[in-house]
């Protein structure tokens, strides 16, 4: 199946919409319309990007838009490409499951973990969409990308909210153990959605060495021989980059909800400004509320209490 993405201007979008019988019911967030045309699924996003999916995607794209498109490489062709060096795997020439997390260094908000499957055929699509290391992207861009990625990438997203996070911490779980368990579950979930034989590698953005990761997971590590651990994995694998964007998206949306609920900006990170925000939450709502929306073992908690006490 071919996948082609094109960025159109507003006029081109309107012309395309007029040529299609549109489905606008029960669409994922971020999608404006969806249509079927000569066996090809056409997804039109609010970002003005249009995805053509199907065996005849290139022909339909050419017919509707009147411009040539370079077809995506097939998985077989991609696998023939060699790694850039003897010590480095060129993950973006293979079909991979990637996993990453967000929120682990933030005092407020949950820990979110995602695993996503990116086939070799999807690599050009992700590049066209602008998928990149989430640390280089604005929150607005992350939301835009994630709302497109979740419509076609097999993925699993888990959110460990603050009460459950703090409960695990009180039971003696380290953050590394929490992440290992969540990563492993996400990967297992994605493997149930795809053909295992079509997965060349499982790539985890490394937060612990292999032996530590395997020690902490509950149960077995699936497809252990295919599993790799990469530092700065987002820059090496688009599967990890996609997972990072989706997990960051979930974190950002959760933080936005907290800000609306408590009528103040709930800051990301763990800086002194976050201490000040936490102190405001204590003064307005109490320390119990603070603990319900934060990771209570962070030093920010004591610093916020000190700020409150200094005013008394």
């Amino acid at each position: 199946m071919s996948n082609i993405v094109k960025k159109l201007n507003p006029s081109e979008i309107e012309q395309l919409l007029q040529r299609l019988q549109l489905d606008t019911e029960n669409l994922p967030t971020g999608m404006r319309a969806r249509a079927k045309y000569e066996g090809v699924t056409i997804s039109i996003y609010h970002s003005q990007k249009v995805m053509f999916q199907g065996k005849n995607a290139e022909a339909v794209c050419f017919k509707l838009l009147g411009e040539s498109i370079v077809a995506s490489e097939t998985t077989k062709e991609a696998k023939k490409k060699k790694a850039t060096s003897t010590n480095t795997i060129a993950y973006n020439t293979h079909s991979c499951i990637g996993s990453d997390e967000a929120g682990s260094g933030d005092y407020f908000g949950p820990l979110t973990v995602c695993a996503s499957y990116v086939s070799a055929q999807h690599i050009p699509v992700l590049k066209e969409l602008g998928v990149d290391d989430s640390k280089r992207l604005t929150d607005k861009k992350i939301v835009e990308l994630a709302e497109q990625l979740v419509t076609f990438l097999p993925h699993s997203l888990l959110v460990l909210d603050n009460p459950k996070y703090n409960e695990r911490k009180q039971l003696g779980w380290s953050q590394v153990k929490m992440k290992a368990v969540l990563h492993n579950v996400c990967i297992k979930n994605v493997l149930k959605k795809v053909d295992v034989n079509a997965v060349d590698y499982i790539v985890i953005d490394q937060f612990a060495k292999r032996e530590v990761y395997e020690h902490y997971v509950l149960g077995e590590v699936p497809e252990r021989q295919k599993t790799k651990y990469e530092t700065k994995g987002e820059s090496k694998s688009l599967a990890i980059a996609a997972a990072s964007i989706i997990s960051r998206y979930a974190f950002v949306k959760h933080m936005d909800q907290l800000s609306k609920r408590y009528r103040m900006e709930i800051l990301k990170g763990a800086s002194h400004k976050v201490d000040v925000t936490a102190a405001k939450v204590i003064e307005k709502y109490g320390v119990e509320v603070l603990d319900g929306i934060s990771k209570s073992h962070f030093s920010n908690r004591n610093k916020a209490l000190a700020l409150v006490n200094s005013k008394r």
Side-chain angles (χ1 to χ4, degrees):
M1 179 182 288
S2 298
N3 298 275
I4 295 172
V5 175
K6 289 295 293 180
K7 177 70 178 287
L8 306 182
N9 61 43
S11 175
E12 291 168 333
I13 290 285
E14 292 304 319
Q15 290 178 27
L16 179 62
L17 292 173
Q18 292 174 13
R19 300 189 63 179
L20 300 172
Q21 291 186 347
L22 302 172
D23 175 11
T24 58
E25 299 294 326
N26 300 317
L27 298 176
T29 304
M31 187 180 289
R32 179 176 177 181
R34 180 186 283 143
K36 278 279 190 180
Y37 189 92
E38 296 184 1
V40 173
T41 298
I42 303 172
S43 301
I44 303 167
Y45 297 95
H46 290 294
S47 64
Q48 296 180 209
K49 290 183 179 179
V50 181
M51 178 180 293
F52 298 81
Q53 294 175 285
K55 185 177 180 180
N56 299 313
E58 184 177 359
V60 168
C61 181
F62 179 83
K63 182 176 181 179
L64 292 175
L65 303 182
E67 52 186 307
S68 61
I69 300 294
V70 178
S72 302
E73 290 184 299
T74 63
T75 303
K76 183 176 180 181
E77 291 171 335
K79 288 182 178 179
K80 291 181 180 179
K81 293 187 176 182
K82 295 183 179 180
T84 54
S85 74
T86 57
N87 296 320
T88 303
I89 298 171
Y91 294 111
N92 292 339
T93 64
H94 296 275
S95 297
C96 299
I97 292 174
S99 67
D100 201 359
E101 77 283 334
S104 62
D106 297 86
Y107 174 57
F108 286 108
L111 176 63
T112 60
V113 178
C114 179
S116 65
Y117 173 69
V118 175
S119 69
Q121 289 180 317
H122 275 134
I123 295 297
V125 176
L126 265 60
K127 289 181 177 179
E128 180 67 28
L129 287 173
V131 172
D132 198 355
D133 184 340
S134 66
K135 297 180 182 64
R136 301 178 183 177
L137 303 174
T138 64
D139 286 350
K140 181 179 179 181
K141 184 65 175 178
I142 284 170
V143 170
E144 175 190 310
L145 284 172
E147 289 179 346
Q148 295 174 78
L149 296 176
V150 297
T151 66
F152 67 93
L153 289 185
H155 67 281
S156 174
L157 172 67
L158 294 176
V159 178
L160 186 65
D161 64 23
N162 293 113
K164 291 180 180 177
Y165 178 101
N166 292 331
E167 180 183 275
R168 298 297 188 281
K169 192 66 181 174
Q170 289 174 358
L171 291 173
W173 286 37
S174 66
Q175 194 180 83
V176 171
K177 181 173 182 176
M178 295 182 210
K179 290 196 283 189
V181 170
L182 293 173
H183 275 258
N184 207 45
V185 172
C186 282
I187 290 167
K188 286 181 177 180
N189 289 343
V190 175
L191 284 169
K192 293 175 183 177
K193 299 179 181 182
V194 301
D195 178 3
V196 176
N197 294 321
V199 179
D200 298 318
Y201 295 102
I202 297 170
V203 199
I204 299 170
D205 191 52
Q206 185 171 328
F207 55 87
K209 293 182 179 180
R210 176 188 289 271
E211 56 269 23
V212 175
Y213 178 90
E214 293 182 350
H215 172 72
Y216 279 130
V217 298
L218 301 178
E220 296 183 358
V221 175
E223 301 297 318
R224 184 176 183 275
Q225 298 304 315
K226 294 181 179 181
T227 301
K228 306 295 180 182
Y229 303 81
E230 293 287 351
T231 56
K232 299 181 180 179
E234 292 168 284
S235 63
K236 300 174 184 177
S237 165
L238 282 174
I240 290 181
S244 175
I245 287 169
I246 297 171
S247 61
R248 186 69 183 175
Y249 166 79
F251 178 78
V252 168
K253 297 298 283 187
H254 189 98
M255 293 292 283
D256 287 345
Q257 291 171 3
L258 289 180
S259 295
K260 290 178 182 178
R261 184 187 308 166
Y262 295 104
R263 300 178 182 179
M264 66 174 74
E265 184 180 6
I266 304 298
L267 298 177
K268 304 175 185 70
S271 66
H272 176 68
K273 290 182 179 180
V274 172
D275 301 339
V276 174
T277 300
K280 290 179 181 178
V281 173
I282 295 172
E283 291 172 337
K284 193 170 183 179
Y285 299 102
V287 72
E288 294 80 8
V289 169
L290 175 67
D291 288 343
I293 61 174
S294 64
K295 302 173 183 73
S296 58
H297 67 99
F298 275 41
S299 62
N300 300 86
R301 185 181 190 273
N302 290 334
K303 292 176 182 178
L305 286 169
L307 287 172
V308 172
N309 292 331
S310 68
K311 297 178 182 179
R312 294 174 180 172

